[in-house]
């Protein structure tokens, strides 16, 4: 009976050992169970414009972004090659350094990596707009020039600008001292469009002026786009103002607040409106040691010396020995300011582009019909109203 109990206990022990195992022995030739973890998901990458976009403007919002970090981003133009760009400090955003080109196909490349180490490619293509027409522009004053305190900033377009507001939004003026000013769109006689910027009051002497016109990629309306960006950087020189009271028969030059010339002069014959020297603020634009002056109406063809142009209607400050007897006593000219040879050369040597010539006392005012720079003849409130913005 003792041996029977021992046998029963042994059978029970064998049963318990079997229950603690796998239940069934592995089938011959089967693989052991797997213990690997799931692979991390790919990191999200987004590009703008969306893939396969067409007619994209060169100044559109172009960027690649990721929830992870970029190891590399490329944008390649065909034609054109690699586009220079900048990664954000956290390496989550890439943007080009400037506007793109017209009529090109752009292809993304590169890789982004997520927190778990998984990577995703940067892919996609888009195409920029091919304009039916591009409009060229020129800017004045040019780089590194020193100009007078009345010099406007002028931009001339080679064709009419339909969307003037879009063009004006692309314009930026930065000055070394605070300067209130405004753009104004003026009538253009050359078949294009033009816009000028002037300060409310004369520039402060010594002001540094930087102008940026970001026209490339700007839709100017009517199917035309800006051809290229423009910049200029110039300096306002000393303040020199000509004060020309036609009834005084004298011309006064004030430089930096001090009178440096006060000389006899003869102005336009006031009894003939066509010969009157126009009242208003003129602007010096160019000068000539010798200038041929012709008038079919009044029958003269002469070369005058030391001629400084102050408007495009034929008004100059120049030497004229023929009117020497009238200088200082009467007005006999055809609209110019006549001086002696000595006084004319002295003024000529001192004058620069942008100097104001303030004519007062005549019976006819300076107007748009008198040339392309009549900016200071327009009251400030009216000038501001001529902005497209």
């Amino acid at each position: 009976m003792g041996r029977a109990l021992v046998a029963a206990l042994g059978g029970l022990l064998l049963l318990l050992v079997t229950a603690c195992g796998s239940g069934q022995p592995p089938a011959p030739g089967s693989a052991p169970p797997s213990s690997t973890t799931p692979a991390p998901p790919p990191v999200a990458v987004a590009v703008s414009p969306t893939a396969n976009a067409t007619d994209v403007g060169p100044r559109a919002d172009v960027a690649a972004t990721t929830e992870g970090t970029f190891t590399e981003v490329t944008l390649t133009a065909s034609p054109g090659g690699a586009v220079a760009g900048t990664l954000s400090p956290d390496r989550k955003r890439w943007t080009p350094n400037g506007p793109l080109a017209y009529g090109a196909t752009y292809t993304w490349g590169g890789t982004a990596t997520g927190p778990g180490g998984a990577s995703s490619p940067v892919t996609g293509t888009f195409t920029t707009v091919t304009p039916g027409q591009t409009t060229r522009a020129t800017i004045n004053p040019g780089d590194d020039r020193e100009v007078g305190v009345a010099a406007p900033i002028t931009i001339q377009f080679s064709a009419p600008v339909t969307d003037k507001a879009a063009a004006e939004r692309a314009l930026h003026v930065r000055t070394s001292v605070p300067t209130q000013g405004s753009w104004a769109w003026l009538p253009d006689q050359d078949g294009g469009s033009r816009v000028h910027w002037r300060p409310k009051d004369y520039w402060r002497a010594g002001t540094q002026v930087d102008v940026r016109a970001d026209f490339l990629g700007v839709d100017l309306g009517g199917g035309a786009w800006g051809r290229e960006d423009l910049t200029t950087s110039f300096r306002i020189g000393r303040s020199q103002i000509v004060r020309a009271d036609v009834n005084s028969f004298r011309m006064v030059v004030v430089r930096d607040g001090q009178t440096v010339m006060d000389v006899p002069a003869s102005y336009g014959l006031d009894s003939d409106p066509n010969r009157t020297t126009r009242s208003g603020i003129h602007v010096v634009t160019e000068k000539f040691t010798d200038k041929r002056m012709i008038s079919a109406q009044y029958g003269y063809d002469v070369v005058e010396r030391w001629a400084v142009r102050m408007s495009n209607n034929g008004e100059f400050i120049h030497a004229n020995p023929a009117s020497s007897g009238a200088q200082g006593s009467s007005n006999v000219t055809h609209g110019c300011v006549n001086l002696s040879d000595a006084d004319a050369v002295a003024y000529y040597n001192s004058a620069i582009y942008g100097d104001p010539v303030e004519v007062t006392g005549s019976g006819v005012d300076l107007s748009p019909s008198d040339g392309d720079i009549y900016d200071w003849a327009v009251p400030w409130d009216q000038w501001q109203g001529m902005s497209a913005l």
Side-chain angles (χ1 to χ4, degrees):
M1 191 171 166
R3 285 192 295 270
L5 179 59
V6 171
L9 289 174
L12 179 60
L13 179 61
L14 177 62
L15 180 62
L16 289 174
V17 170
T18 302
C20 291
S22 60
Q24 294 292 333
S30 64
S34 173
S35 61
T36 58
T37 58
V43 64
V45 173
V47 293
S48 177
T50 55
N52 302 317
T54 59
D55 291 335
V56 174
R59 291 189 182 275
D61 181 17
V62 176
T65 57
T66 181
E67 295 175 356
T69 57
F70 285 117
T71 53
E72 181 187 24
V73 179
T74 62
L75 184 62
T76 305
S78 178
V83 176
T86 301
L87 266 176
S88 60
D90 61 4
R91 303 186 69 84
K92 291 181 178 294
R93 181 179 175 85
W94 183 98
T95 52
N97 290 345
L100 305 181
Y102 292 120
T105 297
Y106 288 84
T107 303
W108 291 103
T111 306
T113 304
S119 63
S120 297
V122 185
T123 61
T125 62
F126 63 91
T127 304
T128 51
V129 65
T130 300
Q133 173 188 343
T134 58
T135 297
R136 182 176 56 85
T138 55
I139 191 168
N140 193 53
D143 270 331
D144 301 322
R145 290 188 66 182
E146 184 170 279
V147 300
V149 296
I153 301 165
T154 69
I155 296 179
Q156 177 71 49
F157 295 89
S158 61
V161 173
T162 303
D163 193 342
K164 292 180 171 61
E168 197 171 326
R169 279 192 291 269
L171 298 172
H172 310 276
V173 178
R174 185 178 64 184
T175 59
S176 60
V177 296
T179 305
Q180 183 181 1
S182 175
W183 292 100
W185 292 84
L186 305 177
D188 184 64
Q189 301 171 351
D190 297 325
S193 289
R194 65 187 179 117
V195 62
H196 290 194
W197 192 99
R198 75 163 175 89
K200 179 181 180 182
D201 304 305
Y202 292 153
W203 295 99
R204 187 186 302 179
T207 300
Q208 181 67 36
V209 185
D210 299 304
V211 185
R212 217 177 71 238
D214 296 334
F215 290 143
L216 175 63
V218 174
D219 185 349
L220 300 175
W225 292 68
R227 182 175 301 179
E228 58 191 355
D229 291 344
L230 303 173
T231 62
T232 188
S233 181
F234 61 92
R235 181 178 180 274
I236 308 301
R238 80 289 176 272
S239 170
Q240 178 164 294
I241 302 168
V242 172
R243 293 186 176 142
D245 178 357
V246 303
N247 297 312
S248 71
F249 313 118
R250 301 191 70 81
M251 190 185 86
V252 178
V253 180
V254 179
R255 188 180 306 141
D256 294 327
Q258 302 297 316
T259 298
V260 294
M261 290 183 69
D262 186 346
V263 298
S266 182
Y267 296 90
L269 181 67
D270 207 31
S271 61
D272 183 347
N274 291 324
R275 292 176 59 174
T276 300
T277 308
R278 272 51 178 155
S279 284
I281 299 174
H282 301 60
V283 177
V284 168
T285 54
E286 55 186 345
K287 57 185 186 178
F288 309 86
T289 55
D290 298 273
K291 176 64 176 175
R292 186 182 182 189
M293 299 185 182
I294 304 172
S295 172
Q297 180 180 4
Y298 292 103
Y300 62 79
D301 184 344
V302 295
V303 175
E304 302 289 9
R305 304 213 68 204
W306 314 116
V308 177
R309 184 189 293 276
M310 63 182 193
S311 76
N312 271 356
N313 68 353
E315 292 174 317
F316 288 82
I317 300 171
H318 66 87
N320 190 356
S323 68
S324 58
Q327 293 167 20
S329 59
S330 61
N331 294 327
V332 299
T333 81
H334 292 82
C336 293
V337 184
N338 283 184
L339 306 176
S340 70
D341 280 344
D343 292 337
V345 72
Y347 174 67
Y348 176 95
N349 288 334
S350 73
I352 62 174
Y353 176 89
D355 284 343
V357 179
E358 300 175 350
V359 178
T360 56
S362 77
V364 180
D365 290 335
L366 188 71
S367 72
S369 64
D370 292 310
D372 56 354
I373 299 182
Y374 59 92
D375 303 27
W376 297 93
V378 181
W380 177 244
D381 288 347
Q382 182 182 340
W383 182 266
Q384 288 179 297
M386 293 160 67
S387 164
L389 300 179

